[in-house]
Amino acid sequence: MPYVNIKITREGEVTAEQKRRLIEGATNLLHDVLGKNKATTVVTIDEVDTDNWGIGGVPVTEIRKKGK
Amino acid sequence: MPYVNIKITREGEVTAEQKRRLIEGATNLLHDVLGKNKATTVVTIDEVDTDNWGIGGVPVTEIRKKGK
Amino acid sequence: MPYVNIKITREGEVTAEQKRRLIEGATNLLHDVLGKNKATTVVTIDEVDTDNWGIGGVPVTEIRKKGK
Amino acid sequence: MPYVNIKITREGEVTAEQKRRLIEGATNLLHDVLGKNKATTVVTIDEVDTDNWGIGGVPVTEIRKKGK
Amino acid sequence: MPYVNIKITREGEVTAEQKRRLIEGATNLLHDVLGKNKATTVVTIDEVDTDNWGIGGVPVTEIRKKGK
Amino acid sequence: MPYVNIKITREGEVTAEQKRRLIEGATNLLHDVLGKNKATTVVTIDEVDTDNWGIGGVPVTEIRKKGK
């Protein structure tokens, strides 16, 4: 009965199919590595605005502008 | 001074009154069971799109379509 | 299928029975207010050392020493 | 490589510049106090509706109405 | 630069090698599905006592005793 | 009434005084940038074993062994 939370920046378009693959993949990972029960594994995905995510002390919005 | 985070799927309409009841109920629960000070108890509620929540490896969006 | 996370300070002894009541109470709350399915409601409890929790800019360890 | 999550109520306008200062400030704090590597420090900011945040058992929406 | 948090119950022995596989697997998943940069993907694993985790309103400790 | 969660690896000794400075610093940051009320600002610190934290798909335990 694991709980997995995935946080990603909200950029480009993340499709429902890609989210489905994240949910399925994380659930399979816990099953394959630890034998966890898939039926009670919960996965949530948070999409965070690039203004609201920073790394190295700099917002992702600025990092993207610099073409990184 | 407990902190409670409640995550629910964003489905139907959750009214401000229902959210108020969740906040009040969680605060009372911590007070009743552990004697925690209500004044400094914080509750936050996250509403998560059904595409972004999965259980059993399947997004809630798909589970709802199948009438479950 | 809500997910509830409860964070409390690690003080005194919180018994398994008290934790059971928190889990049951939070699950019932989501059911009573929003009609959520109890079977898939997950509750986790984090106990945090008083050195690692602050309010008002002051660690709880110091607040407790001052008899508050 | 610390990870910092900041949750604030969604009120007034929080500008991109203010968010930049939160990201920079939190990253510097971890560096100054613990010598953490700024390059791998991640900061995320969650803005939460005032209906979805409660303290003292009362939603912030109601607290604001009472002019507190 | 995704951030993934995995919560599991603290049961049996989860080895360092199993944790390594969870970290590697989650990082690969985000790369494979969304093309995320592995170098800045962060994964954390929380192990939660079975008294502190509930599903269906019942602590996992009790569920395990009943042989489920 | 912000809530700040700081996650760091459990390495070396993080003293109560250093934790106090993190709590004070994060509280001041929210006050200085957004004018938030210090009295209701909550900060929690999670210390995570190096086996349980990964970046770039590799546990911090292994990264430390390689002298990075």
Side-chain angles (χ1 to χ4, degrees), chain C residues 29-63:
Chain C
L29 179 66
L30 272 292
H31 178 75
D32 293 347
V33 176
L34 296 176
K36 294 293 184 182
N37 181 0
K38 290 188 190 183
T40 54
T41 296
V42 174
V43 180
T44 59
I45 302 168
D46 295 336
E47 296 171 274
V48 179
D49 287 346
T50 56
D51 279 354
N52 292 21
W53 190 304
I55 186 165
V58 180
V60 173
T61 306
E62 292 188 18
I63 293 171

Coordinates of all heavy atoms in Angstrom, one line a residue, chain C residues 29-63:
Chain C
L29 N -14.3 11.0 8.9 CA -14.5 12.4 8.6 C -14.7 12.6 7.0 O -15.7 13.3 6.6 CB -13.4 13.3 9.0 CG -13.4 14.8 8.7 CD1 -14.6 15.5 9.5 CD2 -12.1 15.5 9.1
L30 N -13.8 12.0 6.3 CA -13.9 12.1 4.8 C -15.2 11.4 4.3 O -15.8 11.9 3.3 CB -12.7 11.5 4.2 CG -11.5 12.5 3.9 CD1 -11.8 13.5 2.9 CD2 -11.0 13.1 5.2
H31 N -15.5 10.4 4.9 CA -16.8 9.7 4.5 C -18.0 10.5 4.9 O -18.9 10.7 4.1 CB -16.8 8.3 5.2 CG -18.1 7.5 4.9 ND1 -18.3 6.9 3.7 CD2 -19.2 7.3 5.6 CE1 -19.5 6.4 3.7 NE2 -20.0 6.6 4.9
D32 N -18.0 11.0 6.1 CA -19.2 11.8 6.5 C -19.4 13.1 5.8 O -20.6 13.4 5.4 CB -19.1 12.1 8.0 CG -19.1 10.8 8.9 OD1 -19.5 9.7 8.4 OD2 -18.8 10.9 10.1
V33 N -18.3 13.8 5.5 CA -18.5 15.1 4.8 C -18.6 15.0 3.3 O -19.4 15.7 2.7 CB -17.3 16.0 5.2 CG1 -17.4 17.3 4.5 CG2 -17.2 16.2 6.7
L34 N -17.8 14.1 2.7 CA -17.8 14.0 1.3 C -18.3 12.7 0.7 O -18.2 12.5 -0.6 CB -16.4 14.3 0.8 CG -15.8 15.7 1.1 CD1 -14.4 15.8 0.6 CD2 -16.7 16.8 0.4
G35 N -18.6 11.7 1.5 CA -19.1 10.4 1.0 C -18.0 9.6 0.4 O -18.2 8.7 -0.4
K36 N -16.7 9.9 0.8 CA -15.6 9.1 0.3 C -15.6 7.7 0.8 O -16.1 7.4 1.9 CB -14.3 9.8 0.7 CG -14.1 11.2 0.1 CD -13.9 11.1 -1.4 CE -13.6 12.5 -1.9 NZ -13.5 12.6 -3.4
N37 N -15.1 6.8 -0.1 CA -15.0 5.4 0.2 C -14.0 5.1 1.3 O -12.8 5.4 1.1 CB -14.6 4.7 -1.1 CG -14.6 3.2 -1.0 OD1 -14.8 2.6 0.1 ND2 -14.2 2.5 -2.1
K38 N -14.5 4.5 2.4 CA -13.5 4.3 3.5 C -12.4 3.3 3.1 O -11.3 3.4 3.5 CB -14.2 3.8 4.7 CG -15.1 4.8 5.4 CD -15.7 4.2 6.7 CE -16.7 5.0 7.3 NZ -17.2 4.5 8.6
A39 N -12.8 2.3 2.3 CA -11.9 1.2 2.0 C -10.6 1.6 1.3 O -9.6 1.0 1.5 CB -12.6 0.2 1.1
T40 N -10.7 2.7 0.5 CA -9.5 3.2 -0.2 C -8.9 4.5 0.4 O -8.1 5.1 -0.2 CB -9.8 3.4 -1.7 OG1 -10.9 4.3 -1.8 CG2 -10.0 2.1 -2.4
T41 N -9.4 4.9 1.6 CA -8.8 6.1 2.3 C -7.5 5.7 3.0 O -7.5 4.7 3.8 CB -9.8 6.7 3.3 OG1 -11.0 7.1 2.5 CG2 -9.3 7.8 4.0
V42 N -6.5 6.4 2.8 CA -5.2 6.2 3.4 C -4.9 7.3 4.4 O -5.1 8.5 4.0 CB -4.1 6.0 2.3 CG1 -2.7 5.9 3.0 CG2 -4.4 4.9 1.4
V43 N -4.4 7.0 5.6 CA -4.0 8.0 6.5 C -2.5 7.6 7.0 O -2.2 6.5 7.3 CB -4.9 8.0 7.8 CG1 -4.4 9.0 8.8 CG2 -6.3 8.2 7.4
T44 N -1.7 8.6 7.0 CA -0.3 8.4 7.6 C -0.1 9.4 8.6 O -0.6 10.6 8.5 CB 0.8 8.5 6.5 OG1 0.8 9.8 5.9 CG2 0.7 7.4 5.4
I45 N 0.7 9.0 9.7 CA 1.0 9.9 10.8 C 2.5 10.1 10.9 O 3.2 9.1 10.9 CB 0.5 9.3 12.1 CG1 -1.1 9.1 12.0 CG2 0.8 10.2 13.3 CD1 -1.6 8.2 13.2
D46 N 3.0 11.3 10.9 CA 4.4 11.6 11.1 C 4.6 12.2 12.5 O 3.9 13.2 12.8 CB 4.9 12.6 10.1 CG 4.8 12.1 8.6 OD1 4.9 10.9 8.4 OD2 4.8 13.0 7.7
E47 N 5.5 11.6 13.2 CA 5.9 12.2 14.5 C 7.2 12.9 14.3 O 8.2 12.3 13.9 CB 6.0 11.1 15.6 CG 4.6 10.4 15.8 CD 4.7 9.2 16.7 OE1 4.9 8.1 16.1 OE2 4.5 9.3 17.9
V48 N 7.3 14.2 14.7 CA 8.4 15.0 14.4 C 9.0 15.5 15.8 O 8.3 15.9 16.7 CB 7.9 16.3 13.6 CG1 9.1 17.2 13.3 CG2 7.3 15.8 12.3
D49 N 10.3 15.3 15.9 CA 11.0 15.8 17.1 C 10.8 17.2 17.4 O 10.7 18.0 16.4 CB 12.5 15.6 17.0 CG 12.9 14.1 17.1 OD1 12.1 13.3 17.5 OD2 14.1 13.8 16.7
T50 N 10.7 17.6 18.7 CA 10.4 19.0 19.0 C 11.5 20.0 18.6 O 11.2 21.1 18.4 CB 10.1 19.2 20.5 OG1 11.2 18.7 21.3 CG2 8.8 18.4 20.9
D51 N 12.7 19.5 18.4 CA 13.8 20.3 17.8 C 13.5 20.6 16.3 O 14.1 21.6 15.8 CB 15.1 19.6 17.8 CG 15.8 19.6 19.2 OD1 15.3 20.3 20.1 OD2 16.9 19.0 19.4
N52 N 12.7 19.8 15.7 CA 12.5 19.9 14.2 C 11.2 20.6 13.9 O 10.8 20.5 12.7 CB 12.6 18.5 13.6 CG 14.0 17.9 13.7 OD1 14.8 18.3 14.5 ND2 14.2 16.9 12.8
W53 N 10.5 21.1 14.9 CA 9.2 21.8 14.6 C 9.3 23.1 15.2 O 9.6 23.3 16.4 CB 8.1 20.9 15.2 CG 6.7 21.3 14.9 CD1 6.2 22.6 15.0 CD2 5.7 20.5 14.3 NE1 4.9 22.6 14.5 CE2 4.6 21.3 14.1 CE3 5.7 19.2 13.9 CZ2 3.4 20.8 13.6 CZ3 4.5 18.7 13.4 CH2 3.4 19.5 13.2
G54 N 9.0 24.1 14.4 CA 9.0 25.5 15.0 C 7.7 26.2 14.7 O 7.0 25.9 13.7
I55 N 7.3 27.1 15.6 CA 6.2 28.0 15.3 C 6.5 29.4 15.9 O 7.2 29.4 16.9 CB 4.8 27.4 15.9 CG1 3.7 28.4 15.5 CG2 4.9 27.2 17.4 CD1 2.3 27.7 15.7
G56 N 6.2 30.4 15.1 CA 6.6 31.7 15.6 C 8.1 31.9 15.5 O 8.6 32.8 16.2
G57 N 8.8 31.1 14.7 CA 10.2 31.3 14.6 C 11.0 30.6 15.7 O 12.3 30.7 15.7
V58 N 10.3 29.8 16.6 CA 11.0 29.3 17.7 C 10.8 27.7 17.7 O 9.6 27.3 17.5 CB 10.5 29.9 19.0 CG1 11.1 29.3 20.2 CG2 10.6 31.4 19.0
P59 N 11.8 26.9 18.0 CA 11.6 25.5 18.1 C 10.7 25.1 19.3 O 10.7 25.8 20.3 CB 13.0 24.9 18.4 CG 13.9 26.0 17.9 CD 13.2 27.3 18.2
V60 N 9.9 24.1 19.1 CA 8.9 23.7 20.1 C 9.7 23.3 21.4 O 9.2 23.5 22.5 CB 8.1 22.5 19.6 CG1 7.2 21.9 20.8 CG2 7.2 23.0 18.5
T61 N 10.9 22.8 21.2 CA 11.7 22.4 22.4 C 11.9 23.6 23.3 O 11.7 23.5 24.6 CB 13.1 22.0 22.0 OG1 13.0 20.9 21.0 CG2 14.0 21.5 23.2
E62 N 12.1 24.8 22.8 CA 12.3 26.0 23.6 C 11.0 26.5 24.1 O 10.9 27.0 25.3 CB 12.9 27.1 22.7 CG 14.4 26.8 22.3 CD 15.1 28.0 21.7 OE1 14.6 29.1 21.8 OE2 16.1 27.8 21.0
I63 N 9.9 26.4 23.3 CA 8.6 26.8 23.8 C 8.2 26.0 25.0 O 7.7 26.5 26.0 CB 7.5 26.6 22.7 CG1 7.9 27.6 21.5 CG2 6.1 26.8 23.2 CD1 7.0 27.4 20.2

